[in-house]
Amino acid sequence: MRIGVIGTGRIGAIHANTLSRNREVGSLILTDADPARAQELAHRLGETAAPGVDEIFQWGVDAVVITTTTSAHAELIGRAARSGLPVFCEKPIALDLAGTLEALGEVETAGTVLQMGFQRRFDTGYSGAREAVRSGRLGRLHTVRALTSDQAPPSAAYLPVSGGLYRDTLIHDFDILRWVTGREVVDVYAAGSDAGPAMFREAGDVDTGAALLTLDDGMLATVTATRLHGAGYDVRMELAGELDQIVVGLDDRTPIASTEPTGPPAADKPWTGFLERFGPAYEAELCAFVDVVRGGRPNPCDGREALQALRIAEACEVSRRERRAVGLTEILGGSRPLAG
């Protein structure tokens, strides 16, 4: 199997390393907007670098992995679909619903595979939570609390193209909430704060956000996120049911300390970022993609899943801006057919 990797930045390099070690992958073709970066990674892995995206398709590959800047995702997904190639793409498909729907339409029309990069679905903690919910161990769920806290903010240059806190960061919490509970969000009420560094206000973004979500069975979920969590990288999910309560992301590296006399001590080595915290999950999702391409398993996270997470993020942005509850029925893409 020959796989083309488009984008060799931080996450692209990690995915290329994973694929290069996979026994089912014979070779890789790497390309990047910075040709020297692709060449350096190819040399280090013993793979081939291509001068541009055109060569990825001209030289012949069996599948494509897209880890470029978000603005290029939708176009590359469409090009791969028209070439009949299965695609793995980092989230999101696009920063807007229209672009997302157009790309999904191309995939549907071509009948190809699009697997999205929501790596938390491959984390053992979240998988365990999903199993606990499905088994009935918790009883009827009544409350879910989810959070994502980044230790340090991204660069000021990234903020204007990130899509904002809800689309860039909390979209992972929206996706995993649906995946773990098996329920759909029906309405949201969101708020955000830009009281931190000026670069967030200048980008029209917020550094901290929160949302209350109501799910289709009446369950309530709260999600919060911040870019300014100096204690360390913190990603957790608490699920409370009528019979039991569990938590994902609580271990000896969780950056939290108890004020109780008998509580656990602060972590000696708190998590510093998502690549460290979710390293095994990133590897597992790429191995799953190889299995999908080989026909060994169904797609574990197709484009429609990314669409639903984006719709929730869009609803939160509307709610934050207009200071009101927003129903998901107000957001484009809920019932629109994907293929024209």
Side-chain angles (χ1 to χ4, degrees):
M1 182 187 304
R2 193 182 203 190
I3 296 180
V5 179
I6 306 174
T8 57
R10 183 171 56 169
I11 193 65
I14 288 174
H15 288 341
N17 269 278
T18 297
L19 293 168
S20 188
R21 297 193 309 269
N22 191 299
R23 67 180 64 184
E24 302 294 340
V25 178
S27 62
L28 303 177
I29 303 177
L30 313 178
T31 194
D32 192 271
D34 179 356
R37 184 164 65 179
Q39 185 65 56
E40 189 279 330
L41 180 61
H43 178 73
R44 178 152 48 90
L45 297 178
E47 304 290 355
T48 301
V53 172
D54 288 345
E55 284 76 11
I56 292 286
F57 294 97
Q58 292 169 1
W59 293 357
V61 293
D62 300 299
V64 173
V65 170
I66 300 171
T67 61
T68 60
T69 56
T70 296
S71 59
H73 287 185
E75 179 184 354
L76 290 170
I77 289 170
R79 185 169 183 179
R82 293 189 298 274
S83 299
L85 295 173
V87 174
F88 175 93
C89 185
E90 281 298 324
K91 66 83 186 168
I93 294 172
L95 290 178
D96 64 293
L97 288 165
T100 298
L101 288 164
E102 183 177 353
L104 290 176
E106 294 236 45
V107 172
E108 290 285 307
T109 297
T112 52
V113 169
L114 170 60
Q115 180 182 329
M116 297 303 301
F118 282 107
Q119 86 284 350
R120 294 188 193 183
R121 293 180 177 222
F122 297 87
D123 177 73
T124 54
Y126 285 107
S127 296
R130 177 182 163 96
E131 182 179 346
V133 171
R134 296 298 197 278
S135 71
R137 168 186 159 189
L138 307 183
R140 183 188 68 85
L141 284 179
H142 52 73
T143 309
V144 177
R145 308 174 190 91
L147 65 89
T148 296
S149 299
D150 290 328
Q151 184 176 33
S155 68
Y158 174 70
L159 290 176
V161 298
S162 70
L165 186 68
Y166 291 99
R167 298 186 193 94
D168 183 49
T169 299
L170 278 171
I171 196 167
H172 282 286
D173 295 273
F174 301 146
D175 175 71
I176 206 65
L177 173 66
R178 295 179 60 249
W179 188 74
V180 168
T181 66
R183 312 304 308 192
E184 295 293 344
V185 173
V186 296
D187 62 53
V188 309
Y189 191 94
S193 170
D194 61 2
M199 65 180 184
F200 291 97
R201 292 185 292 280
E202 292 166 358
D205 197 5
V206 295
D207 57 72
T208 303
L212 171 65
L213 286 62
T214 303
L215 282 73
D216 57 11
D217 64 345
M219 184 198 323
L220 298 177
T222 58
V223 296
T224 63
T226 184
R227 303 281 202 180
L228 304 166
H229 196 66
Y233 181 69
D234 191 8
V235 173
R236 279 176 284 137
M237 173 183 269
E238 299 174 8
L239 299 104
E242 293 181 344
L243 300 180
D244 202 356
Q245 179 173 243
I246 57 175
V247 59
V248 179
L250 182 61
D251 59 21
D252 60 1
R253 299 191 64 182
T254 304
I256 190 170
S258 174
T259 59
E260 301 297 334
T262 59
D268 290 332
K269 188 181 179 183
W271 297 108
T272 59
F274 62 92
L275 293 177
E276 181 185 33
R277 164 66 178 84
F278 290 110
Y282 278 115
E283 183 165 348
E285 70 176 355
L286 263 294
C287 291
F289 177 62
V290 171
D291 287 343
V292 170
V293 175
R294 293 178 57 245
R297 65 173 293 174
N299 188 347
C301 186
D302 68 22
R304 295 185 189 86
E305 302 293 297
L307 170 63
Q308 294 310 317
L310 180 60
R311 292 181 68 242
I312 299 169
E314 289 286 333
C316 285
E317 284 290 359
V318 174
S319 176
R320 178 180 72 86
R321 186 171 60 249
E322 300 182 3
R323 295 180 176 271
R324 67 178 178 90
V326 175
L328 268 290
T329 55
E330 299 180 46
I331 305 301
L332 180 69
S335 59
R336 174 176 169 178
L338 299 181

